[in-house]
Amino acid sequence: MKRISALLILMFLPLVALLGCGKKEGPAPQSTGSGSAPEPKAGGELNLFGWSEYIPQEILDGFTKETGIKVNYETFASNEEMLSKLLAGSTRYDLIQPSEYAIEALVKQKKLQPLDPARIPNLKNIAAAFRNQPHDPELKYTVPWMGTTVGIVVNTEKVKEPVKGYKDVFQPKYKGRIVALNDAREIVSWVMVTMGMNANDVTPENLAKIKPTLAEWIKLVKVFDSDSPKTALLNGDVDIGVIWSGEAALLYQENKNKFQFILPTEGAHKAIDSLAIPENAENKIGAEMFMNYILRPEVSKLISDKFPYTNPNTEARKLLTPEQLANPASYPPLAGMETFHDIGKAAADVDKLVTDLKAAQ
Amino acid sequence: MNTATGQVIELQGPRRRPGVRGWLLLAPLLLWLFAFVVAPTAIMLVYSFCERDELGQVVFELSLSSYARVFDATYLKILLSSMKYAAITTVICLVAGYPVAYFIGRAREGVRNRLLMLVMVPFWTSFLIRTYAWMSILKSEGLLNGLLLYLQIISAPLDIMYTPTAVVIGLVYSYLPFMILPIYGSVEKLDNALIEAAFDLGAGPVSAFSHVIVPLTRPGILAGVLLVFIPALGMFAITDLMGGSRVPMIGNVIQNQFGQARDWPFGAALGMTLLLLFSLFFLLGLRKEQEG
């Protein structure tokens, strides 16, 4: 028995070590001892809470090199995850990266600090299309990071028929060949627009109406993945999918003859992921310095090189190659598209509905 | 197991209560248990009776609505299917793991240690990395399909990735060592004389195995079954990565409440219900063991 416990300890050691590392890497905002002074220009730390696969490490390094501010970068995979961690309040973040409907909710609850435009002169680089958005019309609280949309990707080697919209994707003949975002709100919105509803009109009546179609669609999907939906397409496990535009852009870069990007005719929606400062941030000045830094054309270009979403920075776009700008998934016509709005408690109904239908298969 | 309890009884002979020194020695463990087991469970218990607001923040208002939702048919169905997966995993681990454990336990000392080492080597890399490795083996254009196609055993790639089979493969792979090690512990202590006696008294190999070896290694089997079944039931990473999140398991549902769904009270209520269920099973098992 003694030997067994020794063995078990041996087995769990790597695990414990891993946990230890995880803790060390995470932001430790309470320990202000490491950031020597409240004066941020002299150093200090910046606790950044951003999307995974969205912020290139070289940008963080460049910022630290120039300002001496150490950036602790923690990641999330959905707005909801970010909100629940932020609002739990145990960790203080100086900078977060919410999308428009999360911004709307946060502004409503007065959880964001207004920005000081004097410290962010590069804000002038933001294109007009990214201003006057309902969630933050005057860019009082947020700096747009990237625009994205959700669209259809087709492996043209396997799918020969023309695909134009959601209803061409979710057909019985593609059963077991589809990848979809693992995001209840997204998939519900696809059915809603296909049935002629507004994607923001999430009411119990509408949810009841879309339920039969949604059930059919969910049965057809092989993989639900929000983190890296391109993987299943690249691996050949599926042939068609509805995924983030940036992921589609990467597939297009990989093989532009094989992977085709299509905006659904029923109506796509756009998302604007932005940087914002939570009300309890400790290093507001450092956060604003970071915002100004990423708005520099040459820095913003680096983001586009790594993560080819829609760059909102007019000056940075001038630095991109014609190929980058010609990528249909990176620069779709975002102009007329609507954004998601905060739907409050209805989010729970949406989640329940999708869980329900997935379990019913 | 039996010898361990025997030692405890002997120790209790002269001194029944632990002295100050005993408590001091226990203190780190007790602190650890309090900080990482008792306190979080208490927090979950409180949360499970709370409400959530528009943004998903926990509101401290007494409410039973989360528990009411636990007994919704959807979640009961998910719980049942998760139990099915966990049970299949446990049975495969037992059938595959027992012979391995027996072989290792009966091997010569030097060989034994080397074999044990091999069982544990996978734990030296992160479990997630190993899961991704399995994905590249099983995927449509992966190693397995490539090999089978090359050898002309199959004509079209097998569809394994993102199916229930892939989930079970992932679960069995991850939890097999947790079955082998406790059984090995029991097998190692097995008295050869008893097995020889069984043969001398006319038992065949089957009868000796089922009437002598299995009962003697029962503590190991039980420990292995618990160590596999319980974590397999709550697992969410493998079902996400290898199952394509298509069929939710109870672990996915709970995880989702703390992420996307932003309903901590409901997640906490699900967790507490599972905890209660396990405690019940455990107590029942314990009582049966004592009776036997």
Side-chain angles (χ1 to χ4, degrees):
Chain A
M1 221 55 218
K2 222 181 258 166
R3 177 170 295 166
I4 276 296
S5 36
L7 288 179
L8 283 176
I9 289 170
L10 235 167
M11 272 171 38
F12 283 112
L13 258 180
L15 219 145
V16 174
L18 216 89
L19 281 174
C21 291
K23 261 185 199 139
K24 249 177 266 159
E25 278 164 11
Q30 274 90 347
S31 62
T32 36
S34 49
S36 47
E39 173 67 77
K41 272 164 200 162
E45 294 191 10
L46 186 70
N47 294 318
L48 165 64
F49 195 28
W51 288 86
S52 53
E53 295 288 299
Y54 218 6
I55 305 176
Q57 184 61 41
E58 48 189 314
I59 284 183
L60 304 181
D61 295 342
F63 179 71
T64 305
K65 208 172 152 196
E66 192 174 303
T67 60
I69 298 176
K70 188 177 161 242
V71 183
N72 302 311
Y73 175 30
E74 197 181 322
T75 62
F76 56 82
S78 71
N79 278 299
E80 287 72 13
E81 186 189 337
M82 182 273 299
L83 285 173
S84 62
K85 250 188 155 172
L86 177 76
L87 298 172
S90 53
T91 343
R92 290 206 169 171
Y93 301 104
D94 299 310
L95 205 50
I96 53 173
Q97 202 180 21
S99 312
E100 71 298 324
Y101 68 98
I103 294 171
E104 191 187 329
L106 286 168
V107 170
K108 218 187 282 173
Q109 302 268 335
K110 300 200 167 38
K111 298 281 183 197
L112 296 181
Q113 294 193 38
L115 307 177
D116 181 353
R119 285 212 196 84
I120 316 172
N122 291 340
L123 203 55
K124 66 178 190 311
N125 295 342
I126 293 293
F130 287 80
R131 299 169 183 270
N132 290 320
Q133 297 296 321
H135 63 274
D136 186 11
E138 290 145 44
L139 297 184
K140 234 167 95 185
Y141 297 97
T142 59
V143 169
W145 175 267
M146 282 281 164
T148 79
T149 181
V150 167
I152 300 162
V153 170
V154 174
N155 177 342
T156 50
E157 288 173 8
K158 300 281 177 60
V159 174
K160 301 292 180 196
E161 300 85 354
V163 173
K164 291 207 176 85
Y166 294 126
K167 61 176 184 305
D168 299 326
V169 175
F170 294 97
Q171 296 188 73
K173 65 177 170 190
Y174 296 133
K175 184 175 165 54
R177 294 165 68 188
I178 302 173
V179 57
L181 295 172
N182 191 22
D183 186 311
R185 175 111 194 239
E186 282 290 344
I187 189 162
V188 162
S189 82
W190 307 339
V191 185
M192 290 181 75
V193 296
T194 304
M195 295 181 66
M197 302 168 192
N198 183 308
N200 283 310
D201 217 356
V202 185
T203 58
E205 298 77 49
N206 280 348
L207 288 181
K209 257 186 244 168
I210 63 160
K211 193 175 171 181
T213 314
L214 183 62
E216 286 309 309
W217 287 20
I218 284 177
K219 274 187 205 149
L220 300 173
V221 173
K222 184 170 192 186
V223 190
F224 289 98
D225 187 354
S226 291
D227 292 319
S228 181
K230 65 177 177 297
T231 310
L233 281 156
L234 268 179
N235 287 349
D237 286 310
V238 296
D239 305 323
I240 190 167
V242 183
I243 68 175
W244 310 123
S245 57
E247 289 268 308
L250 287 169
L251 284 171
Y252 183 86
Q253 278 179 8
E254 186 88 18
N255 188 339
K256 75 169 96 166
N257 297 319
K258 186 171 167 188
F259 295 109
Q260 197 191 349
F261 179 76
I262 301 137
L263 279 175
T265 47
E266 292 93 346
H269 66 87
K270 70 179 168 197
I272 296 173
D273 303 321
S274 308
L275 292 174
I277 305 176
E279 47 144 19
N280 60 355
E282 282 175 345
N283 192 355
K284 180 170 186 257
I285 295 174
E288 284 164 341
M289 285 166 74
F290 187 81
M291 287 170 163
N292 199 43
Y293 179 78
I294 64 109
L295 284 170
R296 283 186 203 166
E298 66 278 9
V299 175
S300 185
K301 176 191 178 289
L302 293 176
I303 308 174
S304 275
D305 288 345
K306 191 92 187 275
F307 304 110
Y309 289 87
T310 314
N311 197 320
N313 192 318
T314 351
E315 296 304 311
R317 276 202 210 177
K318 290 178 187 160
L319 302 176
L320 297 178
T321 62
E323 287 85 55
Q324 279 176 310
L325 290 169
N327 191 326
S330 295
Y331 295 96
L334 290 180
M337 292 184 205
E338 247 194 290
T339 50
F340 274 176
H341 294 303
D342 178 41
I343 51 171
K345 275 194 175 174
D349 302 337
V350 169
D351 179 72
K352 165 94 172 39
L353 179 64
V354 172
T355 309
D356 211 341
L357 294 175
K358 274 188 183 178
Q361 298 186 66
Chain B
M1 285 290 184
N2 290 333
T3 50
T5 42
Q7 279 166 357
V8 171
I9 290 163
E10 267 168 49
L11 280 175
Q12 276 178 347
R15 221 188 328 154
R16 271 162 200 273
R17 281 153 185 271
V20 180
R21 207 181 295 170
W23 282 114
L24 268 178
L25 280 171
L26 268 178
L29 177 72
L30 289 177
L31 266 177
W32 191 89
L33 277 178
F34 184 80
F36 296 110
V37 181
V38 179
T41 314
I43 294 171
M44 282 292 119
L45 186 67
V46 173
Y47 276 177
S48 69
F49 287 103
C50 291
E51 275 278 6
R52 54 156 277 177
D53 71 358
E54 297 256 315
L55 270 179
Q57 277 173 298
V58 177
V59 183
F60 292 93
E61 265 169 41
L62 185 68
S63 148
L64 288 172
S65 60
S66 296
Y67 282 98
R69 213 176 137 197
V70 168
F71 295 100
D72 186 300
T74 307
Y75 302 109
L76 290 179
K77 208 158 133 195
I78 294 175
L79 182 62
L80 277 180
S81 83
S82 312
M83 281 185 166
K84 192 182 80 190
Y85 276 97
I88 294 172
T89 306
T90 312
V91 169
I92 297 177
C93 280
L94 184 61
V95 172
Y98 197 97
V100 178
Y102 193 83
F103 181 78
I104 299 177
R106 304 264 102 190
R108 275 188 299 112
E109 178 112 26
V111 181
R112 197 196 295 163
N113 289 340
R114 250 168 256 168
L115 289 174
L116 271 180
M117 192 75 169
L118 285 180
V119 174
M120 282 176 300
V121 162
F123 288 96
W124 294 358
T125 39
S126 155
F127 140 83
L128 277 177
I129 293 175
R130 286 180 284 129
T131 305
Y132 277 105
W134 267 105
M135 289 168 70
S136 69
I137 295 174
L138 297 180
K139 70 187 182 189
S140 193
E141 291 162 10
L143 292 173
L144 180 69
N145 276 319
L147 180 73
L148 293 178
L149 284 171
Y150 176 75
L151 296 175
Q152 299 192 327
I153 295 171
I154 51 171
S155 54
L158 295 175
D159 208 17
I160 308 174
M161 228 9 238
Y162 309 117
T163 61
T165 316
V167 175
V168 172
I169 291 175
L171 287 172
V172 168
Y173 168 74
S174 301
Y175 292 119
L176 191 58
F178 294 92
M179 183 65 89
I180 295 178
L181 292 173
I183 296 180
Y184 158 80
S186 289
V187 169
E188 197 205 9
K189 291 201 310 268
L190 202 59
D191 190 348
N192 230 351
L194 293 172
I195 303 170
E196 277 162 21
F199 281 118
D200 288 348
L201 294 171
V206 176
S207 164
F209 178 73
S210 62
H211 286 100
V212 179
I213 298 175
V214 169
L216 283 174
T217 50
R218 216 172 75 147
I221 297 176
L222 279 179
V225 167
L226 280 180
L227 278 177
V228 173
F229 185 78
I230 295 177
L233 187 58
M235 170 54 80
F236 60 86
I238 289 179
T239 37
D240 263 358
L241 291 173
M242 296 183 70
S245 312
R246 213 159 30 144
V247 181
M249 304 270 254
I250 200 71
N252 300 86
V253 175
I254 295 177
Q255 185 227 14
N256 201 27
Q257 301 312 315
F258 291 92
Q260 280 245 346
R262 275 186 290 160
D263 197 341
W264 290 25
F266 179 52
L270 275 173
M272 291 315 293
T273 312
L274 271 192
L275 187 66
L276 201 71
L277 219 63
F278 284 141
S279 314
L280 264 176
F281 278 139
F282 190 74
L283 282 178
L284 280 177
L286 209 66
R287 186 183 280 180
K288 221 178 153 203
E289 189 79 339
Q290 278 165 350
E291 278 168 9

PDB file of all heavy atoms in Angstrom, chain B residues 240-257:
ATOM      1  N   ASP B 240     -15.465  17.379 -25.519  1.00  0.00           N
ATOM      2  CA  ASP B 240     -15.392  18.563 -26.376  1.00  0.00           C
ATOM      3  C   ASP B 240     -14.467  18.333 -27.552  1.00  0.00           C
ATOM      4  O   ASP B 240     -14.821  18.580 -28.695  1.00  0.00           O
ATOM      5  CB  ASP B 240     -14.862  19.768 -25.575  1.00  0.00           C
ATOM      6  CG  ASP B 240     -15.987  20.649 -25.076  1.00  0.00           C
ATOM      7  OD1 ASP B 240     -17.150  20.335 -25.390  1.00  0.00           O
ATOM      8  OD2 ASP B 240     -15.702  21.622 -24.375  1.00  0.00           O
ATOM      9  N   LEU B 241     -13.248  17.855 -27.243  1.00  0.00           N
ATOM     10  CA  LEU B 241     -12.210  17.781 -28.270  1.00  0.00           C
ATOM     11  C   LEU B 241     -12.410  16.586 -29.198  1.00  0.00           C
ATOM     12  O   LEU B 241     -12.260  16.702 -30.401  1.00  0.00           O
ATOM     13  CB  LEU B 241     -10.828  17.699 -27.619  1.00  0.00           C
ATOM     14  CG  LEU B 241     -10.362  18.966 -26.911  1.00  0.00           C
ATOM     15  CD1 LEU B 241      -9.083  18.713 -26.160  1.00  0.00           C
ATOM     16  CD2 LEU B 241     -10.176  20.085 -27.921  1.00  0.00           C
ATOM     17  N   MET B 242     -12.724  15.438 -28.646  1.00  0.00           N
ATOM     18  CA  MET B 242     -12.800  14.234 -29.467  1.00  0.00           C
ATOM     19  C   MET B 242     -14.217  13.892 -29.878  1.00  0.00           C
ATOM     20  O   MET B 242     -14.435  13.164 -30.836  1.00  0.00           O
ATOM     21  CB  MET B 242     -12.142  13.060 -28.744  1.00  0.00           C
ATOM     22  CG  MET B 242     -10.658  13.316 -28.544  1.00  0.00           C
ATOM     23  SD  MET B 242      -9.758  11.966 -27.790  1.00  0.00           S
ATOM     24  CE  MET B 242      -9.757  10.748 -29.077  1.00  0.00           C
ATOM     25  N   GLY B 243     -15.195  14.406 -29.131  1.00  0.00           N
ATOM     26  CA  GLY B 243     -16.585  14.120 -29.477  1.00  0.00           C
ATOM     27  C   GLY B 243     -17.225  15.252 -30.256  1.00  0.00           C
ATOM     28  O   GLY B 243     -18.373  15.157 -30.666  1.00  0.00           O
ATOM     29  N   GLY B 244     -16.490  16.363 -30.451  1.00  0.00           N
ATOM     30  CA  GLY B 244     -17.038  17.484 -31.200  1.00  0.00           C
ATOM     31  C   GLY B 244     -18.173  18.191 -30.484  1.00  0.00           C
ATOM     32  O   GLY B 244     -18.992  18.839 -31.124  1.00  0.00           O
ATOM     33  N   SER B 245     -18.246  18.065 -29.173  1.00  0.00           N
ATOM     34  CA  SER B 245     -19.295  18.725 -28.353  1.00  0.00           C
ATOM     35  C   SER B 245     -20.686  18.415 -28.845  1.00  0.00           C
ATOM     36  O   SER B 245     -21.597  19.204 -28.676  1.00  0.00           O
ATOM     37  CB  SER B 245     -19.147  20.241 -28.337  1.00  0.00           C
ATOM     38  OG  SER B 245     -17.863  20.624 -28.071  1.00  0.00           O
ATOM     39  N   ARG B 246     -20.855  17.296 -29.516  1.00  0.00           N
ATOM     40  CA  ARG B 246     -22.166  17.038 -30.107  1.00  0.00           C
ATOM     41  C   ARG B 246     -23.153  16.534 -29.070  1.00  0.00           C
ATOM     42  O   ARG B 246     -24.266  17.016 -28.987  1.00  0.00           O
ATOM     43  CB  ARG B 246     -22.014  16.019 -31.224  1.00  0.00           C
ATOM     44  CG  ARG B 246     -22.997  16.272 -32.306  1.00  0.00           C
ATOM     45  CD  ARG B 246     -22.586  15.651 -33.588  1.00  0.00           C
ATOM     46  NE  ARG B 246     -21.808  14.446 -33.374  1.00  0.00           N
ATOM     47  CZ  ARG B 246     -21.881  13.398 -34.142  1.00  0.00           C
ATOM     48  NH1 ARG B 246     -22.702  13.393 -35.146  1.00  0.00           N
ATOM     49  NH2 ARG B 246     -21.123  12.349 -33.938  1.00  0.00           N
ATOM     50  N   VAL B 247     -22.734  15.541 -28.326  1.00  0.00           N
ATOM     51  CA  VAL B 247     -23.607  15.016 -27.287  1.00  0.00           C
ATOM     52  C   VAL B 247     -23.080  15.526 -25.949  1.00  0.00           C
ATOM     53  O   VAL B 247     -21.986  15.174 -25.549  1.00  0.00           O
ATOM     54  CB  VAL B 247     -23.608  13.485 -27.306  1.00  0.00           C
ATOM     55  CG1 VAL B 247     -24.539  12.946 -26.245  1.00  0.00           C
ATOM     56  CG2 VAL B 247     -24.014  12.998 -28.678  1.00  0.00           C
ATOM     57  N   PRO B 248     -23.822  16.401 -25.298  1.00  0.00           N
ATOM     58  CA  PRO B 248     -23.286  16.948 -24.052  1.00  0.00           C
ATOM     59  C   PRO B 248     -23.260  15.905 -22.947  1.00  0.00           C
ATOM     60  O   PRO B 248     -24.164  15.087 -22.838  1.00  0.00           O
ATOM     61  CB  PRO B 248     -24.260  18.075 -23.724  1.00  0.00           C
ATOM     62  CG  PRO B 248     -25.507  17.757 -24.449  1.00  0.00           C
ATOM     63  CD  PRO B 248     -25.144  16.930 -25.630  1.00  0.00           C
ATOM     64  N   MET B 249     -22.212  15.931 -22.148  1.00  0.00           N
ATOM     65  CA  MET B 249     -22.130  15.101 -20.948  1.00  0.00           C
ATOM     66  C   MET B 249     -22.395  16.033 -19.777  1.00  0.00           C
ATOM     67  O   MET B 249     -22.312  17.252 -19.907  1.00  0.00           O
ATOM     68  CB  MET B 249     -20.745  14.501 -20.829  1.00  0.00           C
ATOM     69  CG  MET B 249     -20.352  13.714 -22.039  1.00  0.00           C
ATOM     70  SD  MET B 249     -20.847  12.026 -21.877  1.00  0.00           S
ATOM     71  CE  MET B 249     -19.276  11.280 -21.573  1.00  0.00           C
ATOM     72  N   ILE B 250     -22.639  15.449 -18.635  1.00  0.00           N
ATOM     73  CA  ILE B 250     -22.996  16.276 -17.486  1.00  0.00           C
ATOM     74  C   ILE B 250     -21.835  17.225 -17.145  1.00  0.00           C
ATOM     75  O   ILE B 250     -22.056  18.370 -16.734  1.00  0.00           O
ATOM     76  CB  ILE B 250     -23.422  15.391 -16.283  1.00  0.00           C
ATOM     77  CG1 ILE B 250     -24.245  16.199 -15.306  1.00  0.00           C
ATOM     78  CG2 ILE B 250     -22.256  14.727 -15.606  1.00  0.00           C
ATOM     79  CD1 ILE B 250     -25.629  16.543 -15.799  1.00  0.00           C
ATOM     80  N   GLY B 251     -20.610  16.775 -17.383  1.00  0.00           N
ATOM     81  CA  GLY B 251     -19.445  17.638 -17.145  1.00  0.00           C
ATOM     82  C   GLY B 251     -19.463  18.865 -18.043  1.00  0.00           C
ATOM     83  O   GLY B 251     -19.158  19.978 -17.612  1.00  0.00           O
ATOM     84  N   ASN B 252     -19.859  18.678 -19.310  1.00  0.00           N
ATOM     85  CA  ASN B 252     -19.948  19.810 -20.242  1.00  0.00           C
ATOM     86  C   ASN B 252     -21.019  20.784 -19.799  1.00  0.00           C
ATOM     87  O   ASN B 252     -20.842  21.999 -19.869  1.00  0.00           O
ATOM     88  CB  ASN B 252     -20.305  19.335 -21.648  1.00  0.00           C
ATOM     89  CG  ASN B 252     -19.288  18.384 -22.203  1.00  0.00           C
ATOM     90  OD1 ASN B 252     -19.369  17.189 -21.957  1.00  0.00           O
ATOM     91  ND2 ASN B 252     -18.322  18.899 -22.899  1.00  0.00           N
ATOM     92  N   VAL B 253     -22.155  20.218 -19.353  1.00  0.00           N
ATOM     93  CA  VAL B 253     -23.259  21.087 -18.935  1.00  0.00           C
ATOM     94  C   VAL B 253     -22.821  21.951 -17.757  1.00  0.00           C
ATOM     95  O   VAL B 253     -23.041  23.164 -17.738  1.00  0.00           O
ATOM     96  CB  VAL B 253     -24.505  20.258 -18.562  1.00  0.00           C
ATOM     97  CG1 VAL B 253     -25.594  21.150 -18.012  1.00  0.00           C
ATOM     98  CG2 VAL B 253     -25.017  19.504 -19.775  1.00  0.00           C
ATOM     99  N   ILE B 254     -22.145  21.331 -16.791  1.00  0.00           N
ATOM    100  CA  ILE B 254     -21.709  22.093 -15.609  1.00  0.00           C
ATOM    101  C   ILE B 254     -20.702  23.156 -16.021  1.00  0.00           C
ATOM    102  O   ILE B 254     -20.824  24.328 -15.663  1.00  0.00           O
ATOM    103  CB  ILE B 254     -21.102  21.145 -14.551  1.00  0.00           C
ATOM    104  CG1 ILE B 254     -22.179  20.197 -14.032  1.00  0.00           C
ATOM    105  CG2 ILE B 254     -20.496  21.940 -13.407  1.00  0.00           C
ATOM    106  CD1 ILE B 254     -21.682  19.179 -13.037  1.00  0.00           C
ATOM    107  N   GLN B 255     -19.730  22.756 -16.821  1.00  0.00           N
ATOM    108  CA  GLN B 255     -18.700  23.704 -17.251  1.00  0.00           C
ATOM    109  C   GLN B 255     -19.345  24.879 -17.982  1.00  0.00           C
ATOM    110  O   GLN B 255     -18.984  26.030 -17.794  1.00  0.00           O
ATOM    111  CB  GLN B 255     -17.708  22.998 -18.169  1.00  0.00           C
ATOM    112  CG  GLN B 255     -16.552  23.861 -18.574  1.00  0.00           C
ATOM    113  CD  GLN B 255     -16.272  23.793 -20.072  1.00  0.00           C
ATOM    114  OE1 GLN B 255     -17.099  23.304 -20.839  1.00  0.00           O
ATOM    115  NE2 GLN B 255     -15.133  24.278 -20.467  1.00  0.00           N
ATOM    116  N   ASN B 256     -20.322  24.565 -18.811  1.00  0.00           N
ATOM    117  CA  ASN B 256     -20.997  25.582 -19.600  1.00  0.00           C
ATOM    118  C   ASN B 256     -21.702  26.616 -18.722  1.00  0.00           C
ATOM    119  O   ASN B 256     -21.771  27.793 -19.059  1.00  0.00           O
ATOM    120  CB  ASN B 256     -22.012  24.906 -20.525  1.00  0.00           C
ATOM    121  CG  ASN B 256     -22.382  25.774 -21.687  1.00  0.00           C
ATOM    122  OD1 ASN B 256     -21.605  26.609 -22.103  1.00  0.00           O
ATOM    123  ND2 ASN B 256     -23.576  25.593 -22.191  1.00  0.00           N
ATOM    124  N   GLN B 257     -22.219  26.177 -17.574  1.00  0.00           N
ATOM    125  CA  GLN B 257     -22.922  27.112 -16.692  1.00  0.00           C
ATOM    126  C   GLN B 257     -21.965  28.163 -16.135  1.00  0.00           C
ATOM    127  O   GLN B 257     -22.363  29.277 -15.827  1.00  0.00           O
ATOM    128  CB  GLN B 257     -23.597  26.377 -15.525  1.00  0.00           C
ATOM    129  CG  GLN B 257     -24.603  25.325 -15.946  1.00  0.00           C
ATOM    130  CD  GLN B 257     -25.565  25.828 -16.992  1.00  0.00           C
ATOM    131  OE1 GLN B 257     -26.089  26.935 -16.890  1.00  0.00           O
ATOM    132  NE2 GLN B 257     -25.793  25.035 -18.026  1.00  0.00           N
TER     133      GLN B 257
END
